[in-house]
Amino acid sequence: MRKVSVALTALLVLTGCGQRAGDSGLMDAMAAVSGDGPAAAYFEYGEPAWWRDLGVKAGAGEARRWLSAASSGLGGLAVVAEALPEATGVTPGASTRAISIGLPPRQAFRFDGDVDADAVREKLTALGAKPREMGGHEGLSFFPGAEMDPSRAIVPGVTNQLNQVVVTDSLVAAASTPDVLTTALGGAPALADKPEYAAMAACLGDVAAATMMTPSPAGGAVTLYGVGLRRPAGLNDRPVNVICVLPAASAAAGVERALTTRLTPTGSMSNGRTWGEHAPEITHDRVSSDDHTVLRAVLTLNGTTNAMLANHMLIRGDLQALTAP
């Protein structure tokens, strides 16, 4: 059993969460994909079913600020998610769990839940996909490799993301190449089996949206970044974002000093404003799991800031700047 810090255990008790760190949808999703492949560079997770049950839908008042959270896990397909069902039968927003791994061009998508597999196969076949075996899985393929056919527009914005597709009654997986696709269907070791990623999951805790990403280039002061959104009890709740940073051992003190002194309510943003204008409450602690100690910042946002602030900080590079020693 993985060792979890006393601080984290106390936090779970105080928040009334009986779930141990790592025993969550996030950890289960990490166990479903291979850790040797694109997931190690980028892993994005979401729970469309959670947000549907909570009543998040376009234009629905308080739900608006949570819309980007409902798209977590869809990766680059988020912008075309509404057009995919009619064109392909693939319905990301109707899935229970959504996972996006890797960065273009080595990127794959996985949507778990009830799937009308016959409808997906019929629509993809009508578009020109052919039967193909991929890593022991029967699937459909537009090309044997990562080729693109600009004249065959499935939907605007989709080029080779759906070149290879495996569909069953419980999941749809897609990627540009067969080797990338099979990593989204599992493999040993799983991402959850890698200690640094397990430590990141322990730090993030029970979240309904999360992203983990390695710095590029590797070998710097930080080994792994993770951001997540804790589950709100209702749409009127203030969003709580979690930022987790796994520093390289040699740089741990400098990274912690940088993060804890810069990411504060009075700390300056790159636009001259302060972080407190978006997150009036920011706390810092550490979470230990096995032999890894992860730095954690918990941001309680105000009533208007986008619920996925921490995710935007990671993608824009703000978090990387905040942790530079």
Side-chain angles (χ1 to χ4, degrees):
M1 183 181 203
R2 293 185 174 92
K3 297 177 288 184
V4 180
S5 72
V6 173
L8 176 59
T9 303
L11 176 66
L12 293 172
V13 172
L14 288 172
T15 56
C17 178
Q19 200 171 37
R20 296 194 309 273
D23 293 342
S24 65
L26 173 59
M27 196 66 166
D28 289 343
M30 293 165 59
V33 301
S34 172
D36 286 340
Y42 182 88
F43 178 86
E44 182 183 325
Y45 165 77
E47 298 178 11
W50 169 268
W51 301 106
R52 287 197 308 271
D53 291 345
L54 208 59
V56 175
K57 56 184 73 172
E62 288 298 325
R64 243 175 250 156
R65 71 184 311 194
W66 305 95
L67 282 174
S68 56
S71 296
S72 184
L74 275 57
L77 293 181
V79 294
V80 297
E82 292 187 8
L84 283 177
E86 183 176 353
T88 67
V90 178
T91 311
S95 60
T96 301
R97 177 177 72 187
I99 301 170
S100 174
I101 62 173
L103 299 167
R106 292 181 54 78
Q107 187 176 37
F109 309 89
R110 173 172 172 159
F111 309 120
D112 294 273
D114 292 333
V115 177
D116 187 344
D118 289 339
V120 175
R121 293 190 190 102
E122 181 179 343
K123 287 179 178 290
L124 292 179
T125 299
L127 289 167
K130 306 296 183 184
R132 178 182 175 86
E133 183 177 309
M134 290 168 272
H137 302 276
E138 294 297 328
L140 292 165
S141 174
F142 287 100
F143 293 102
E147 295 90 344
M148 291 183 291
D149 180 0
S151 67
R152 179 184 51 78
I154 295 177
V155 296
V158 174
T159 53
N160 63 344
Q161 298 97 319
L162 302 182
N163 267 358
Q164 324 294 335
V165 177
V166 167
V167 56
T168 71
D169 291 335
S170 60
L171 70 83
V172 176
S176 59
T177 61
D179 63 320
V180 174
L181 174 63
T182 55
T183 67
L185 296 171
L191 192 65
D193 295 329
K194 303 187 80 168
E196 62 271 39
Y197 292 87
M200 188 61 66
C203 176
L204 291 170
D206 188 25
V207 290
T211 299
M212 299 181 190
M213 187 167 73
T214 55
S216 181
V222 172
T223 301
L224 184 64
Y225 289 103
V227 296
L229 173 64
R230 287 189 178 157
R231 302 174 188 276
L235 299 180
N236 291 318
D237 283 9
R238 292 168 63 189
V240 177
N241 283 192
V242 185
I243 292 173
C244 297
V245 179
L246 178 61
S250 60
V255 171
E256 183 171 25
R257 182 168 54 251
L259 182 65
T260 56
T261 57
R262 295 171 185 165
L263 185 55
T264 67
T266 57
S268 297
M269 300 173 62
S270 59
N271 60 7
R273 306 180 75 172
T274 64
W275 291 109
E277 294 181 54
H278 298 287
E281 300 174 33
I282 301 175
T283 62
H284 291 272
D285 68 350
R286 303 174 187 165
V287 177
S288 296
S289 177
D290 287 339
D291 295 325
H292 295 281
T293 298
V294 186
L295 308 176
R296 179 170 59 187
V298 178
L299 288 67
T300 302
L301 309 186
N302 61 23
T304 58
T305 295
N306 187 294
M308 295 287 280
L309 173 66
N311 191 75
H312 296 324
M313 292 169 64
L314 177 62
I315 300 304
R316 289 192 308 245
D318 294 336
L319 185 53
Q320 292 84 331
L322 286 167
T323 55

